[in-house]
Every structure is written in C-alpha cells, then in structure tokens.
Amino acid sequence: MSGNEHAVRPSVPVAPREREKRRSPWWEVWRRLRRNKAAVAGMTVVLLLMMLALFAPVLAPYDPNQTNITKRLQGPSAGHLLGTDNFGRDMLSRIIYGSRISLYVGFVAVGIGAIFGGILGAIGGFYGGRLDNFIMRCMDVLLAIPQIILAIAIVGALGTNLLNLMIAVGISQLPRYARVVRASTLTVRGQEYVEAARAVGASDLRIILENILPNCMAPIIVQSTLGVAQAILSAASLSFLGLGIQPPTAEWGSMLSSGRQFLRNAPYLTFFPGLAISIVVLALNMFGDGLRDSLDPKLRQ
C-alpha cells in the first residue's frame, strides 16, 4: 500500500458566500442588529434595567417602604442620592423597586395581548370567511376606542389591583397583534409546506401551531418589543390616575401622582420617576426600531 493513500487530504476552503449560506437566519439578524448603534444602545439599557429590577433587593440602599418623618422632603444628598419623599422614604430605592413593577406589567400585558391576539389573528386568517370578518370587526371596535380609555373602562369594571391592571393593558393591545398575525397568516397559508401538511392529514390546529405561527414570529417579536414600551406608559398613566398600582407599593406612575403636589418645593419627586419612564420607553423604542429593520427581508444581502 503506497504512502500516498495514507496522506491527509488537504481541506477544501469554503468560499465566503458559501459560509454565509450556511449561517442561521437569526445569526444574520443579529449581525445586522449589532451594526445599528441606536438599537444596541437601546438593548443595553433594557438589559441593564432588567438586571436592576432582578437584583433590586441587593442594589437598593434602603427598604422602599421604610418611612422616616424626620427626613421627609430632603433633596438629593450623599445619604439619599435622589432625595426622600413626603414620608421620608428613599427615592432611589423606590425607583429601583418601581422598575420591577413597570417591567413586570409591561412584559405580562404584552404576553396577554400577543398570545390571545395572535391566536385570534391566526384563526381569522387561516379560516377566512365569516369567522374572519367577525373577529376583525370586533378588533375594529377595540381599535376605535383609545387604548388608555379602554384600559380605564376595564380597570373600572374589574377593580384596581396589579392583576386587573395587566389584564386591562393586555386587552387594549389585542387588536394590534391580531391584525399583524392575520396579515402574516394570509401570506403563508397558501405556501407549499402548508398544503403538504394538509395532504398528510395534519389537523387545522397542528397546521396553525406548527406551520403558521412559527412563520409569523418575526413581526410578533418586533410588535412585542414596541408594545412593552406602550404597556409601560399605559400602566404608568393608570397608576397616575389612581386606577393602577396603589400606594405604598413603589411604582413610577403612582410616584409621579403623589409627587405632583410638591412640584414647587420638591420637583425631584416627579422629575426622577418621569426620567425613569422616559429612559425605558426610549430604549425599548430604539431597540424595537432596530429589530424591525434587522428582520426586514428587503435588507438581506
């Protein structure tokens, strides 16, 4: 046996374009996303806020509900970096703990809207006809009512607590997800893989769950990212009006509401919670816009 037969065959170099074809589509999304500096900055801020909310008991210097009347309405200082409120509670600790409530309400409310709205949109788009017309007319009725007015009506009917607040904000976001998923379903329901699933005897439920919805994930992810910002704003607005999270629980909207009566003497009571809301909403919108551009098929090369 000759020595050439045992020689190691040289590896064939893979062309750059061939390597690009082998990469995952989600890797390409990440590659385009990280080129967008505004989106990366927004994503970084959102991740930092999530870490802040997760480790609030460790990072907060004081108990957010601990009162000290002798230190009420003290401005920012070394002992209290963001000052104290009218009950002597540390504002920095309350803002840190308030991030937990705001992000929790935002993500859960968006989850409610995306799940139920997505199901309704997928059913309407898949079956079409009268069922689709009925679902979309119901969504049009909800769209005709401003989100905050609809949320106020739902909270007023159900009562003011955290669960009802999330339900109200989630229901107010149903139409946007139903319409997005319906549009995507109308696009993919006639594709070959859906017809192949029908041909092998797959049930309608299985086709919707395994073939339709996975191909609608890109617009749902983008809409959900932008929807969290809207949900946080809606929750803060309801709490500001006294229809959301009730004192003494630390929540940015209720902190704004309680601080407005001290606007002349202690403007920081409204400035810092308002700044926190502005930062998280801006960061989520920047990240959502960048994610939408990254998932746009027209930008793929």
PDB file of all heavy atoms in Angstrom, residues 64-95:
ATOM      1  N   PRO A  64     -37.756  50.227  50.345  1.00  0.00           N
ATOM      2  CA  PRO A  64     -38.528  51.259  49.634  1.00  0.00           C
ATOM      3  C   PRO A  64     -39.742  51.760  50.401  1.00  0.00           C
ATOM      4  O   PRO A  64     -40.229  52.859  50.114  1.00  0.00           O
ATOM      5  CB  PRO A  64     -38.944  50.545  48.346  1.00  0.00           C
ATOM      6  CG  PRO A  64     -38.932  49.100  48.690  1.00  0.00           C
ATOM      7  CD  PRO A  64     -37.812  48.933  49.660  1.00  0.00           C
ATOM      8  N   ASN A  65     -40.228  51.005  51.367  1.00  0.00           N
ATOM      9  CA  ASN A  65     -41.408  51.411  52.127  1.00  0.00           C
ATOM     10  C   ASN A  65     -41.081  51.875  53.546  1.00  0.00           C
ATOM     11  O   ASN A  65     -41.986  52.132  54.342  1.00  0.00           O
ATOM     12  CB  ASN A  65     -42.418  50.265  52.188  1.00  0.00           C
ATOM     13  CG  ASN A  65     -42.951  49.893  50.814  1.00  0.00           C
ATOM     14  OD1 ASN A  65     -43.169  50.749  49.970  1.00  0.00           O
ATOM     15  ND2 ASN A  65     -43.151  48.601  50.584  1.00  0.00           N
ATOM     16  N   GLN A  66     -39.796  51.981  53.854  1.00  0.00           N
ATOM     17  CA  GLN A  66     -39.394  52.415  55.189  1.00  0.00           C
ATOM     18  C   GLN A  66     -39.554  53.928  55.310  1.00  0.00           C
ATOM     19  O   GLN A  66     -38.953  54.700  54.561  1.00  0.00           O
ATOM     20  CB  GLN A  66     -37.939  52.027  55.460  1.00  0.00           C
ATOM     21  CG  GLN A  66     -37.434  52.427  56.832  1.00  0.00           C
ATOM     22  CD  GLN A  66     -35.981  52.051  57.045  1.00  0.00           C
ATOM     23  OE1 GLN A  66     -35.362  51.444  56.176  1.00  0.00           O
ATOM     24  NE2 GLN A  66     -35.430  52.415  58.188  1.00  0.00           N
ATOM     25  N   THR A  67     -40.380  54.363  56.256  1.00  0.00           N
ATOM     26  CA  THR A  67     -40.650  55.789  56.432  1.00  0.00           C
ATOM     27  C   THR A  67     -39.772  56.366  57.546  1.00  0.00           C
ATOM     28  O   THR A  67     -39.390  55.668  58.488  1.00  0.00           O
ATOM     29  CB  THR A  67     -42.126  56.025  56.785  1.00  0.00           C
ATOM     30  OG1 THR A  67     -42.435  55.350  58.013  1.00  0.00           O
ATOM     31  CG2 THR A  67     -43.030  55.504  55.680  1.00  0.00           C
ATOM     32  N   ASN A  68     -39.495  57.667  57.408  1.00  0.00           N
ATOM     33  CA  ASN A  68     -38.720  58.404  58.416  1.00  0.00           C
ATOM     34  C   ASN A  68     -39.136  59.870  58.302  1.00  0.00           C
ATOM     35  O   ASN A  68     -38.599  60.620  57.481  1.00  0.00           O
ATOM     36  CB  ASN A  68     -37.221  58.233  58.187  1.00  0.00           C
ATOM     37  CG  ASN A  68     -36.401  58.800  59.335  1.00  0.00           C
ATOM     38  OD1 ASN A  68     -36.896  59.558  60.170  1.00  0.00           O
ATOM     39  ND2 ASN A  68     -35.120  58.445  59.371  1.00  0.00           N
ATOM     40  N   ILE A  69     -40.090  60.258  59.115  1.00  0.00           N
ATOM     41  CA  ILE A  69     -40.657  61.598  59.010  1.00  0.00           C
ATOM     42  C   ILE A  69     -39.613  62.677  59.257  1.00  0.00           C
ATOM     43  O   ILE A  69     -39.705  63.793  58.715  1.00  0.00           O
ATOM     44  CB  ILE A  69     -41.841  61.756  59.995  1.00  0.00           C
ATOM     45  CG1 ILE A  69     -42.934  60.721  59.673  1.00  0.00           C
ATOM     46  CG2 ILE A  69     -42.432  63.154  59.921  1.00  0.00           C
ATOM     47  CD1 ILE A  69     -43.495  60.823  58.277  1.00  0.00           C
ATOM     48  N   THR A  70     -38.595  62.368  60.034  1.00  0.00           N
ATOM     49  CA  THR A  70     -37.560  63.376  60.317  1.00  0.00           C
ATOM     50  C   THR A  70     -36.730  63.716  59.071  1.00  0.00           C
ATOM     51  O   THR A  70     -36.051  64.737  59.057  1.00  0.00           O
ATOM     52  CB  THR A  70     -36.625  62.881  61.427  1.00  0.00           C
ATOM     53  OG1 THR A  70     -35.982  61.671  61.006  1.00  0.00           O
ATOM     54  CG2 THR A  70     -37.409  62.613  62.706  1.00  0.00           C
ATOM     55  N   LYS A  71     -36.789  62.868  58.044  1.00  0.00           N
ATOM     56  CA  LYS A  71     -36.013  63.109  56.824  1.00  0.00           C
ATOM     57  C   LYS A  71     -36.908  63.371  55.609  1.00  0.00           C
ATOM     58  O   LYS A  71     -36.469  63.220  54.473  1.00  0.00           O
ATOM     59  CB  LYS A  71     -35.098  61.914  56.546  1.00  0.00           C
ATOM     60  CG  LYS A  71     -34.019  61.688  57.585  1.00  0.00           C
ATOM     61  CD  LYS A  71     -33.106  60.549  57.185  1.00  0.00           C
ATOM     62  CE  LYS A  71     -31.982  60.340  58.202  1.00  0.00           C
ATOM     63  NZ  LYS A  71     -31.069  59.241  57.796  1.00  0.00           N
ATOM     64  N   ARG A  72     -38.144  63.764  55.845  1.00  0.00           N
ATOM     65  CA  ARG A  72     -39.086  63.976  54.730  1.00  0.00           C
ATOM     66  C   ARG A  72     -38.679  65.171  53.874  1.00  0.00           C
ATOM     67  O   ARG A  72     -38.163  66.174  54.370  1.00  0.00           O
ATOM     68  CB  ARG A  72     -40.504  64.168  55.269  1.00  0.00           C
ATOM     69  CG  ARG A  72     -40.728  65.444  56.062  1.00  0.00           C
ATOM     70  CD  ARG A  72     -42.106  65.460  56.703  1.00  0.00           C
ATOM     71  NE  ARG A  72     -43.158  65.353  55.720  1.00  0.00           N
ATOM     72  CZ  ARG A  72     -43.733  66.419  55.136  1.00  0.00           C
ATOM     73  NH1 ARG A  72     -43.338  67.644  55.438  1.00  0.00           N
ATOM     74  NH2 ARG A  72     -44.693  66.242  54.255  1.00  0.00           N
ATOM     75  N   LEU A  73     -38.869  64.992  52.555  1.00  0.00           N
ATOM     76  CA  LEU A  73     -38.648  66.054  51.570  1.00  0.00           C
ATOM     77  C   LEU A  73     -37.233  66.624  51.615  1.00  0.00           C
ATOM     78  O   LEU A  73     -37.020  67.818  51.461  1.00  0.00           O
ATOM     79  CB  LEU A  73     -39.674  67.174  51.753  1.00  0.00           C
ATOM     80  CG  LEU A  73     -41.144  66.792  51.520  1.00  0.00           C
ATOM     81  CD1 LEU A  73     -42.044  67.974  51.749  1.00  0.00           C
ATOM     82  CD2 LEU A  73     -41.341  66.224  50.128  1.00  0.00           C
ATOM     83  N   GLN A  74     -36.266  65.727  51.827  1.00  0.00           N
ATOM     84  CA  GLN A  74     -34.869  66.145  51.739  1.00  0.00           C
ATOM     85  C   GLN A  74     -34.386  65.988  50.305  1.00  0.00           C
ATOM     86  O   GLN A  74     -34.649  64.975  49.660  1.00  0.00           O
ATOM     87  CB  GLN A  74     -33.993  65.314  52.670  1.00  0.00           C
ATOM     88  CG  GLN A  74     -34.205  65.587  54.151  1.00  0.00           C
ATOM     89  CD  GLN A  74     -33.211  64.837  55.024  1.00  0.00           C
ATOM     90  OE1 GLN A  74     -32.399  64.055  54.536  1.00  0.00           O
ATOM     91  NE2 GLN A  74     -33.268  65.086  56.331  1.00  0.00           N
ATOM     92  N   GLY A  75     -33.698  66.980  49.798  1.00  0.00           N
ATOM     93  CA  GLY A  75     -33.181  66.923  48.437  1.00  0.00           C
ATOM     94  C   GLY A  75     -32.074  65.903  48.281  1.00  0.00           C
ATOM     95  O   GLY A  75     -31.626  65.291  49.259  1.00  0.00           O
ATOM     96  N   PRO A  76     -31.625  65.691  47.052  1.00  0.00           N
ATOM     97  CA  PRO A  76     -30.528  64.751  46.807  1.00  0.00           C
ATOM     98  C   PRO A  76     -29.304  65.085  47.647  1.00  0.00           C
ATOM     99  O   PRO A  76     -28.880  66.244  47.734  1.00  0.00           O
ATOM    100  CB  PRO A  76     -30.252  64.921  45.312  1.00  0.00           C
ATOM    101  CG  PRO A  76     -31.551  65.394  44.739  1.00  0.00           C
ATOM    102  CD  PRO A  76     -32.158  66.268  45.799  1.00  0.00           C
ATOM    103  N   SER A  77     -28.729  64.061  48.268  1.00  0.00           N
ATOM    104  CA  SER A  77     -27.565  64.239  49.127  1.00  0.00           C
ATOM    105  C   SER A  77     -26.745  62.959  49.103  1.00  0.00           C
ATOM    106  O   SER A  77     -27.089  61.985  48.415  1.00  0.00           O
ATOM    107  CB  SER A  77     -28.002  64.567  50.564  1.00  0.00           C
ATOM    108  OG  SER A  77     -28.757  63.505  51.115  1.00  0.00           O
ATOM    109  N   ALA A  78     -25.648  62.951  49.876  1.00  0.00           N
ATOM    110  CA  ALA A  78     -24.799  61.758  49.924  1.00  0.00           C
ATOM    111  C   ALA A  78     -25.533  60.584  50.552  1.00  0.00           C
ATOM    112  O   ALA A  78     -25.341  59.425  50.156  1.00  0.00           O
ATOM    113  CB  ALA A  78     -23.521  62.071  50.704  1.00  0.00           C
ATOM    114  N   GLY A  79     -26.367  60.856  51.552  1.00  0.00           N
ATOM    115  CA  GLY A  79     -27.106  59.776  52.195  1.00  0.00           C
ATOM    116  C   GLY A  79     -28.264  59.267  51.376  1.00  0.00           C
ATOM    117  O   GLY A  79     -28.605  58.076  51.432  1.00  0.00           O
ATOM    118  N   HIS A  80     -28.896  60.162  50.609  1.00  0.00           N
ATOM    119  CA  HIS A  80     -30.021  59.799  49.738  1.00  0.00           C
ATOM    120  C   HIS A  80     -29.768  60.456  48.385  1.00  0.00           C
ATOM    121  O   HIS A  80     -30.054  61.641  48.199  1.00  0.00           O
ATOM    122  CB  HIS A  80     -31.348  60.263  50.345  1.00  0.00           C
ATOM    123  CG  HIS A  80     -31.644  59.684  51.695  1.00  0.00           C
ATOM    124  ND1 HIS A  80     -32.212  58.435  51.855  1.00  0.00           N
ATOM    125  CD2 HIS A  80     -31.438  60.176  52.946  1.00  0.00           C
ATOM    126  CE1 HIS A  80     -32.358  58.184  53.145  1.00  0.00           C
ATOM    127  NE2 HIS A  80     -31.896  59.221  53.833  1.00  0.00           N
ATOM    128  N   LEU A  81     -29.236  59.672  47.460  1.00  0.00           N
ATOM    129  CA  LEU A  81     -28.750  60.233  46.199  1.00  0.00           C
ATOM    130  C   LEU A  81     -29.845  60.934  45.398  1.00  0.00           C
ATOM    131  O   LEU A  81     -29.562  61.897  44.680  1.00  0.00           O
ATOM    132  CB  LEU A  81     -28.120  59.117  45.351  1.00  0.00           C
ATOM    133  CG  LEU A  81     -26.869  58.459  45.932  1.00  0.00           C
ATOM    134  CD1 LEU A  81     -26.360  57.364  45.005  1.00  0.00           C
ATOM    135  CD2 LEU A  81     -25.781  59.506  46.186  1.00  0.00           C
ATOM    136  N   LEU A  82     -31.083  60.456  45.495  1.00  0.00           N
ATOM    137  CA  LEU A  82     -32.191  61.084  44.776  1.00  0.00           C
ATOM    138  C   LEU A  82     -33.173  61.757  45.722  1.00  0.00           C
ATOM    139  O   LEU A  82     -34.284  62.109  45.320  1.00  0.00           O
ATOM    140  CB  LEU A  82     -32.921  60.043  43.903  1.00  0.00           C
ATOM    141  CG  LEU A  82     -32.070  59.320  42.852  1.00  0.00           C
ATOM    142  CD1 LEU A  82     -32.947  58.418  42.000  1.00  0.00           C
ATOM    143  CD2 LEU A  82     -31.310  60.314  41.977  1.00  0.00           C
ATOM    144  N   GLY A  83     -32.787  61.942  46.966  1.00  0.00           N
ATOM    145  CA  GLY A  83     -33.643  62.617  47.926  1.00  0.00           C
ATOM    146  C   GLY A  83     -34.647  61.672  48.575  1.00  0.00           C
ATOM    147  O   GLY A  83     -34.614  60.451  48.378  1.00  0.00           O
ATOM    148  N   THR A  84     -35.548  62.243  49.365  1.00  0.00           N
ATOM    149  CA  THR A  84     -36.606  61.480  50.035  1.00  0.00           C
ATOM    150  C   THR A  84     -37.956  62.097  49.718  1.00  0.00           C
ATOM    151  O   THR A  84     -38.046  63.278  49.360  1.00  0.00           O
ATOM    152  CB  THR A  84     -36.398  61.478  51.562  1.00  0.00           C
ATOM    153  OG1 THR A  84     -36.421  62.831  52.039  1.00  0.00           O
ATOM    154  CG2 THR A  84     -35.063  60.853  51.932  1.00  0.00           C
ATOM    155  N   ASP A  85     -39.017  61.300  49.862  1.00  0.00           N
ATOM    156  CA  ASP A  85     -40.359  61.795  49.552  1.00  0.00           C
ATOM    157  C   ASP A  85     -41.011  62.376  50.798  1.00  0.00           C
ATOM    158  O   ASP A  85     -40.357  62.593  51.826  1.00  0.00           O
ATOM    159  CB  ASP A  85     -41.206  60.685  48.940  1.00  0.00           C
ATOM    160  CG  ASP A  85     -41.443  59.527  49.894  1.00  0.00           C
ATOM    161  OD1 ASP A  85     -41.021  59.604  51.072  1.00  0.00           O
ATOM    162  OD2 ASP A  85     -42.063  58.537  49.479  1.00  0.00           O
ATOM    163  N   ASN A  86     -42.315  62.616  50.713  1.00  0.00           N
ATOM    164  CA  ASN A  86     -43.019  63.268  51.820  1.00  0.00           C
ATOM    165  C   ASN A  86     -43.163  62.381  53.046  1.00  0.00           C
ATOM    166  O   ASN A  86     -43.572  62.862  54.110  1.00  0.00           O
ATOM    167  CB  ASN A  86     -44.398  63.735  51.352  1.00  0.00           C
ATOM    168  CG  ASN A  86     -45.218  62.604  50.747  1.00  0.00           C
ATOM    169  OD1 ASN A  86     -44.707  61.834  49.948  1.00  0.00           O
ATOM    170  ND2 ASN A  86     -46.476  62.509  51.111  1.00  0.00           N
ATOM    171  N   PHE A  87     -42.838  61.101  52.947  1.00  0.00           N
ATOM    172  CA  PHE A  87     -42.838  60.211  54.109  1.00  0.00           C
ATOM    173  C   PHE A  87     -41.422  59.842  54.551  1.00  0.00           C
ATOM    174  O   PHE A  87     -41.247  58.964  55.391  1.00  0.00           O
ATOM    175  CB  PHE A  87     -43.627  58.936  53.806  1.00  0.00           C
ATOM    176  CG  PHE A  87     -45.095  59.150  53.642  1.00  0.00           C
ATOM    177  CD1 PHE A  87     -45.667  59.176  52.381  1.00  0.00           C
ATOM    178  CD2 PHE A  87     -45.915  59.340  54.741  1.00  0.00           C
ATOM    179  CE1 PHE A  87     -47.029  59.380  52.217  1.00  0.00           C
ATOM    180  CE2 PHE A  87     -47.279  59.546  54.598  1.00  0.00           C
ATOM    181  CZ  PHE A  87     -47.839  59.576  53.327  1.00  0.00           C
ATOM    182  N   GLY A  88     -40.439  60.463  53.956  1.00  0.00           N
ATOM    183  CA  GLY A  88     -39.055  60.185  54.313  1.00  0.00           C
ATOM    184  C   GLY A  88     -38.505  58.921  53.676  1.00  0.00           C
ATOM    185  O   GLY A  88     -37.446  58.440  54.089  1.00  0.00           O
ATOM    186  N   ARG A  89     -39.161  58.380  52.676  1.00  0.00           N
ATOM    187  CA  ARG A  89     -38.691  57.173  52.004  1.00  0.00           C
ATOM    188  C   ARG A  89     -37.659  57.529  50.937  1.00  0.00           C
ATOM    189  O   ARG A  89     -37.788  58.545  50.254  1.00  0.00           O
ATOM    190  CB  ARG A  89     -39.868  56.418  51.380  1.00  0.00           C
ATOM    191  CG  ARG A  89     -40.873  55.930  52.395  1.00  0.00           C
ATOM    192  CD  ARG A  89     -42.113  55.343  51.750  1.00  0.00           C
ATOM    193  NE  ARG A  89     -42.871  56.331  50.980  1.00  0.00           N
ATOM    194  CZ  ARG A  89     -44.102  56.153  50.543  1.00  0.00           C
ATOM    195  NH1 ARG A  89     -44.723  55.006  50.783  1.00  0.00           N
ATOM    196  NH2 ARG A  89     -44.711  57.095  49.856  1.00  0.00           N
ATOM    197  N   ASP A  90     -36.663  56.676  50.798  1.00  0.00           N
ATOM    198  CA  ASP A  90     -35.574  56.920  49.860  1.00  0.00           C
ATOM    199  C   ASP A  90     -36.077  56.791  48.420  1.00  0.00           C
ATOM    200  O   ASP A  90     -36.609  55.749  48.023  1.00  0.00           O
ATOM    201  CB  ASP A  90     -34.440  55.920  50.103  1.00  0.00           C
ATOM    202  CG  ASP A  90     -33.261  56.158  49.188  1.00  0.00           C
ATOM    203  OD1 ASP A  90     -32.631  57.215  49.292  1.00  0.00           O
ATOM    204  OD2 ASP A  90     -32.975  55.277  48.354  1.00  0.00           O
ATOM    205  N   MET A  91     -35.899  57.845  47.632  1.00  0.00           N
ATOM    206  CA  MET A  91     -36.410  57.860  46.258  1.00  0.00           C
ATOM    207  C   MET A  91     -35.659  56.890  45.350  1.00  0.00           C
ATOM    208  O   MET A  91     -36.250  56.249  44.485  1.00  0.00           O
ATOM    209  CB  MET A  91     -36.318  59.277  45.695  1.00  0.00           C
ATOM    210  CG  MET A  91     -37.373  60.235  46.228  1.00  0.00           C
ATOM    211  SD  MET A  91     -39.032  59.776  45.658  1.00  0.00           S
ATOM    212  CE  MET A  91     -38.886  60.067  43.901  1.00  0.00           C
ATOM    213  N   LEU A  92     -34.344  56.765  45.530  1.00  0.00           N
ATOM    214  CA  LEU A  92     -33.565  55.848  44.696  1.00  0.00           C
ATOM    215  C   LEU A  92     -34.048  54.416  44.885  1.00  0.00           C
ATOM    216  O   LEU A  92     -34.230  53.672  43.908  1.00  0.00           O
ATOM    217  CB  LEU A  92     -32.080  55.966  45.035  1.00  0.00           C
ATOM    218  CG  LEU A  92     -31.147  55.002  44.290  1.00  0.00           C
ATOM    219  CD1 LEU A  92     -31.259  55.184  42.786  1.00  0.00           C
ATOM    220  CD2 LEU A  92     -29.705  55.167  44.759  1.00  0.00           C
ATOM    221  N   SER A  93     -34.279  54.016  46.131  1.00  0.00           N
ATOM    222  CA  SER A  93     -34.762  52.659  46.402  1.00  0.00           C
ATOM    223  C   SER A  93     -36.135  52.437  45.794  1.00  0.00           C
ATOM    224  O   SER A  93     -36.416  51.378  45.224  1.00  0.00           O
ATOM    225  CB  SER A  93     -34.806  52.409  47.912  1.00  0.00           C
ATOM    226  OG  SER A  93     -33.526  52.568  48.490  1.00  0.00           O
ATOM    227  N   ARG A  94     -36.995  53.437  45.864  1.00  0.00           N
ATOM    228  CA  ARG A  94     -38.343  53.293  45.316  1.00  0.00           C
ATOM    229  C   ARG A  94     -38.320  53.236  43.788  1.00  0.00           C
ATOM    230  O   ARG A  94     -39.101  52.505  43.179  1.00  0.00           O
ATOM    231  CB  ARG A  94     -39.222  54.440  45.804  1.00  0.00           C
ATOM    232  CG  ARG A  94     -39.530  54.333  47.297  1.00  0.00           C
ATOM    233  CD  ARG A  94     -40.468  55.421  47.769  1.00  0.00           C
ATOM    234  NE  ARG A  94     -41.788  55.366  47.134  1.00  0.00           N
ATOM    235  CZ  ARG A  94     -42.751  54.506  47.463  1.00  0.00           C
ATOM    236  NH1 ARG A  94     -42.539  53.608  48.417  1.00  0.00           N
ATOM    237  NH2 ARG A  94     -43.905  54.532  46.854  1.00  0.00           N
ATOM    238  N   ILE A  95     -37.417  53.973  43.175  1.00  0.00           N
ATOM    239  CA  ILE A  95     -37.315  53.913  41.716  1.00  0.00           C
ATOM    240  C   ILE A  95     -36.758  52.559  41.276  1.00  0.00           C
ATOM    241  O   ILE A  95     -37.203  51.981  40.274  1.00  0.00           O
ATOM    242  CB  ILE A  95     -36.452  55.077  41.196  1.00  0.00           C
ATOM    243  CG1 ILE A  95     -37.236  56.385  41.311  1.00  0.00           C
ATOM    244  CG2 ILE A  95     -36.022  54.833  39.752  1.00  0.00           C
ATOM    245  CD1 ILE A  95     -36.458  57.605  40.876  1.00  0.00           C
TER     246      ILE A  95
END
